Amino acid sequence: MGVCSGRYPFILSRKHLAWLAFAPVFSTSPLVFALTSIEAGQTLNIDQTTAQDNYRARDGGVLNANDANTHEVLITTGSQLNVVGGTYAGRSGNAGITLINASANVSDAIVTGSRMGMSIARLNGTTTGSTAVISGSRITGQTSGIETGGGADIQLTDTHLTGTGANSVGLNSFGAEVRAKGGSMTGGMNGIRLRPDGQGIGSGANVTLDNVEVRGIAGPAILANGGATAQINVLNFTRLLAGNGVLLDVQGTSTATMTVADSTLEGNINVTDNSLANLTFNHGHMVGDVIVDGSSTANVTLENHSQFTGRLDQVDSVNVNSNSNWTLTGNDSIGALGMNGGTVTFGGTTDAPGTYYTLNVGSLSGNGTFAMKGDFASGERDFLNVQGASAGSFTLAVAASGLDAASPQALTLVRTGTSDSANFALAGDQRVDVGTWSYSLASRETEGGAKEWFLDPTTEVISPGARSVLALFNTAPTVWYGELSSLRSRMGELRLNGGEGFWIRTNATKHNVADGSGVGYQQTQQGLSLGADARVGDSQVLVGVLAGTSESDLDLNRGTSGTVKSYYVGPYVTWLDSDTGYYFDGVLKFNRFRNESKVNLSDGSRTKGDYDNWGMGGSAEFGRHIKLADDYFVEPFAQLAAVQIQGKHYTLNNDMDADGDRMRSLLGKAGATFGRNFGFGNGAVAQPYVRAAIAHEFASNNEVKVNNNVFNNDLSGSRAEFGAGVAVALSEKWQVHVDLDYSNGEHIEQPFGVNVGGRYSF
């Protein structure tokens, strides 16, 4: 078509323009086609009934094509083309549609050319290019779908540009402004090539892609070369696909500024040959590397929850802001690292175990988080090395582990070039969980005025995972006793109505267990139990059976919790001598426990474990009801209870190993109840009372192993118990009671215990 393909394409002299006007007439094809010309002030309408022809509009002429089937269309010097549907086929090196300092509106058309599908150019010496609004069309050419020159303004909607040749491009832009929404750009070599206008017309080769697929079949998706200055916007689910894995190739002293927003990219970005790339991700995602040669420069900014996974080696500056994340996939060395609420993660979840990375940084500033990992046993770890100045406050989120280190040693995580530097602290509660133990961060100055931050093995405390293990193994006895209670709190006062019957009660208790027992925690228990009994002959002996369930929630602080669900059944026997007031109450109880722990680790992750085990125990209570004057009474009593809980071995899902020995408890109790009976007529009697007792736990050696570290869950010692309540006989058959308890001792406190029950006598 007379359009040169060298350094200054699409700048046409008037001689070229004249040649273009008559080229179809002198075609080498066997048929000679006429040329229909639309001059100034003229408008021509063609449609599907119009014979095939070549058309030229110039000096303000207008061509309207509606479903036309024609050959080359040339629109020049202020003329207008309006196309709805149809096919436009260029031959013998011509484009299907050519615009030269003209305008076009094209929709739903098929445009083909033996070179480019559509040419958008300008005359030599002019400073403004052509404009085109194209929608719903397919534009195909041997060398490119569209080739456009400087000053052109092109808007594409749901349009597909295709270059069919081996070295072709979908869009070949020389300094144009192109905006595309939907559709695709595909070339045998590049999806898009951006180069400067030959005479510097226009602000640069700019392209905005909104939900567009750009594909380079054999080469980069986007190529910026020849000294181009390009602004590239990759928006709203745009896909860049490259046959050689290079999404953007900036070369030949070019400058590319690319913004990726709400799009996900996979591939590399190359910056070579004295070029510059400024890359900004705004809620964008990319997996790949930014590769910069020694002569070039690149700057990367992540903001608004962006995610970048890959190498940024030799990038001059990196900014990680506003909840964005850069995940390293290898050792990297960068210039300046600035952070404002972002995270740098040393390695991803797909890395092989034991893979650690080093990040060398020229300077560091701002505030953010470094997600790291280390091995206390081997001394291997991720490492941040700040070679120059640093300022700001940063958090180290070090990965937790369920496995212990065989020989803990200091792990140096950060080194800064000066002692007057940024501040570093561990995430969460300032500790890192490593198996059974948690460690703190310490710092020290080294030779040359540098400073190091390291995990200090001398600061070990029991980790949350180990605490959850110890608490679960420690909880079963308090669960068992909470379900048992005494004769009075289980069935009320039988002397008010001592016949056969059945009973039901609900209870709620709380226990605060001190650290001295092995680990501190709070236990809140709720349960329901019921039973029925019958008299043995004409004796004063009742035999019965009880059953029930309870659920206990454990709070170990820092988000770590546990749950124990208990199910139980057992027989009991009660003897009451109405003449002397002596009584005996014996209970045998069998339990099934369902135990589960949920642990918040120092790195924010969670682990959990669960197991089932059995328990069996019994209680014997002996006392005497002594009547005093004016319906007062006193009731001294003694109780001995013993329980044994099955040992268990289980593993948390972070590989922490837990092994609990059989848990034993032997509890003795002695005390007295004092109260008075009040009659209300019609057989109704109320019996308020208070109670005080001393209890002593004799069992002191309940061994638990966490990763083969031995702990002793010790609840032994004495505690004082106080209670108050009321039992009410509403009638000859119905009785209700309320009981309140409090106890306190060396290892365990019960801030409250409440049970409410009722009994029906036959």
Side-chain angles (χ1 to χ4, degrees), residues 136-344:
S137 298
R138 293 184 175 274
I139 304 175
T140 304
Q142 177 69 23
T143 60
S144 62
I146 290 180
E147 292 191 2
T148 179
D153 187 288
I154 302 170
Q155 181 175 317
L156 304 172
T157 303
D158 296 327
T159 292
H160 301 274
L161 310 183
T162 305
T164 58
N167 295 313
S168 64
V169 297
L171 171 66
N172 197 12
S173 175
F174 294 84
E177 186 79 33
V178 180
R179 298 176 302 281
K181 184 173 183 178
S184 64
M185 301 179 185
T186 303
M189 184 57 66
N190 309 122
I192 298 174
R193 182 165 63 196
L194 304 174
R195 301 175 70 181
D197 177 81
Q199 295 181 348
I201 302 302
S203 59
N206 302 329
V207 60
T208 296
L209 306 168
D210 185 341
N211 192 23
V212 179
E213 180 179 289
V214 179
R215 181 189 296 269
I217 295 175
I222 302 176
L223 171 64
N225 67 351
T229 299
Q231 173 70 55
I232 305 163
N233 298 313
V234 179
L235 312 176
N236 299 325
F237 310 104
T238 289
R239 288 85 61 206
L240 303 184
L241 307 173
N244 66 350
V246 179
L247 306 181
L248 171 63
D249 195 353
V250 187
Q251 56 180 246
T253 65
S254 296
T255 297
T257 300
M258 184 167 80
T259 297
V260 179
D262 297 306
S263 297
T264 299
L265 308 181
E266 187 169 349
N268 299 328
I269 295 175
N270 284 354
V271 188
T272 60
D273 191 20
N274 290 295
S275 295
L276 167 64
N278 296 309
L279 309 173
T280 298
F281 293 81
N282 182 359
H283 200 251
H285 299 74
M286 178 171 167
V287 177
D289 301 331
V290 177
I291 302 168
V292 187
D293 73 2
S295 67
S296 300
T297 302
N299 304 295
V300 176
T301 297
L302 308 178
E303 55 191 20
N304 189 20
H305 299 269
S306 292
Q307 302 285 325
F308 186 95
T309 301
R311 300 283 307 279
L312 294 177
D313 202 37
Q314 305 306 317
V315 170
D316 288 74
S317 70
V318 178
N319 294 285
V320 187
N321 305 326
S322 54
N323 296 301
S324 296
N325 182 83
W326 169 29
T327 300
L328 278 71
T329 57
N331 298 327
D332 267 322
S333 294
I334 63 174
L337 175 59
M339 302 179 71
N340 184 12
T343 300
V344 175

Side-chain angles (χ1 to χ4, degrees), residues 434-456:
V434 184
T436 310
W437 311 104
S438 297
Y439 302 93
S440 297
L441 189 70
S443 63
R444 61 193 171 203
E445 293 187 14
T446 62
E447 295 181 6
K451 191 173 183 178
E452 293 181 342
W453 279 263
F454 61 95
L455 293 180
D456 188 352

Side-chain angles (χ1 to χ4, degrees), residues 364-497:
L364 174 66
S365 62
N367 65 87
T369 300
F370 294 93
M372 312 176 81
K373 55 194 179 299
D375 187 336
F376 267 84
S378 67
E380 294 181 290
R381 82 294 189 219
D382 294 322
F383 183 53
L384 172 64
N385 181 31
V386 183
Q387 298 164 329
S390 61
S393 298
F394 300 91
T395 299
L396 305 181
V398 183
S401 170
L403 302 177
D404 284 14
S407 301
Q409 54 184 292
L411 284 185
T412 301
L413 301 174
V414 179
R415 178 183 291 120
T416 58
T418 61
S419 59
D420 183 15
S421 63
N423 183 61
F424 296 88
L426 291 176
D429 66 351
Q430 306 298 305
R431 291 189 175 274
V432 176
D433 302 331
V434 184
T436 310
W437 311 104
S438 297
Y439 302 93
S440 297
L441 189 70
S443 63
R444 61 193 171 203
E445 293 187 14
T446 62
E447 295 181 6
K451 191 173 183 178
E452 293 181 342
W453 279 263
F454 61 95
L455 293 180
D456 188 352
T458 66
T459 61
E460 69 179 28
V461 296
I462 300 176
S463 69
R467 290 169 63 87
S468 74
V469 170
L470 296 175
L472 280 183
F473 283 126
N474 212 19
T475 301
T478 53
V479 171
W480 196 89
Y481 286 122
E483 296 166 344
L484 177 68
S485 295
S486 66
L487 169 67
R488 181 182 299 278
S489 61
R490 190 174 70 250
M491 295 186 292
E493 177 51 71
L494 286 174
R495 291 174 189 82
L496 295 178
N497 193 333

Side-chain angles (χ1 to χ4, degrees), residues 94 151-152 298 325 367 416 486 521 536 538 563 575 643 689 696 733:
N94 295 332
N325 182 83
N367 65 87
T416 58
S486 66
Y521 60 90
V536 178
D538 295 329
T563 303
W575 168 67
V643 61
Y689 57 86
H696 185 82
K733 295 183 178 294

Side-chain angles (χ1 to χ4, degrees), residues 450-628:
K451 191 173 183 178
E452 293 181 342
W453 279 263
F454 61 95
L455 293 180
D456 188 352
T458 66
T459 61
E460 69 179 28
V461 296
I462 300 176
S463 69
R467 290 169 63 87
S468 74
V469 170
L470 296 175
L472 280 183
F473 283 126
N474 212 19
T475 301
T478 53
V479 171
W480 196 89
Y481 286 122
E483 296 166 344
L484 177 68
S485 295
S486 66
L487 169 67
R488 181 182 299 278
S489 61
R490 190 174 70 250
M491 295 186 292
E493 177 51 71
L494 286 174
R495 291 174 189 82
L496 295 178
N497 193 333
E500 302 171 316
F502 67 85
W503 53 267
I504 186 170
R505 79 172 185 116
T506 180
N507 70 292
T509 61
K510 182 175 182 179
H511 291 93
N512 296 325
V513 179
D515 283 331
S517 66
V519 61
Y521 60 90
Q522 293 80 46
Q523 172 192 338
T524 303
Q525 180 182 11
Q526 296 179 343
L528 177 71
S529 59
L530 51 86
D533 46 60
R535 190 175 301 279
V536 178
D538 295 329
S539 69
Q540 299 185 73
V541 177
L542 294 175
V543 294
V545 63
L546 59 84
T549 181
S550 73
E551 181 170 332
S552 297
D553 295 320
L554 307 184
D555 182 3
L556 292 96
N557 301 322
R558 221 179 83 174
T560 295
S561 62
T563 303
V564 180
K565 294 181 180 179
S566 172
Y567 309 90
Y568 58 91
V569 65
Y572 66 87
V573 58
T574 298
W575 168 67
L576 288 167
D577 190 308
S578 58
D579 295 328
T580 65
Y582 286 106
Y583 74 91
F584 171 81
D585 183 50
V587 178
L588 188 63
K589 189 158 70 76
F590 302 90
N591 281 68
R592 174 70 167 174
F593 300 104
R594 175 65 177 169
N595 308 272
E596 181 179 2
S597 62
K598 296 179 180 179
V599 183
N600 270 4
L601 300 177
S602 57
D603 60 359
S605 64
R606 288 180 66 87
T607 186
K608 62 182 180 179
D610 59 75
Y611 64 94
D612 296 338
N613 60 344
W614 296 90
M616 181 181 71
S619 168
E621 180 182 341
F622 181 77
R624 185 183 182 188
H625 184 84
I626 302 173
K627 296 181 180 180
L628 305 175

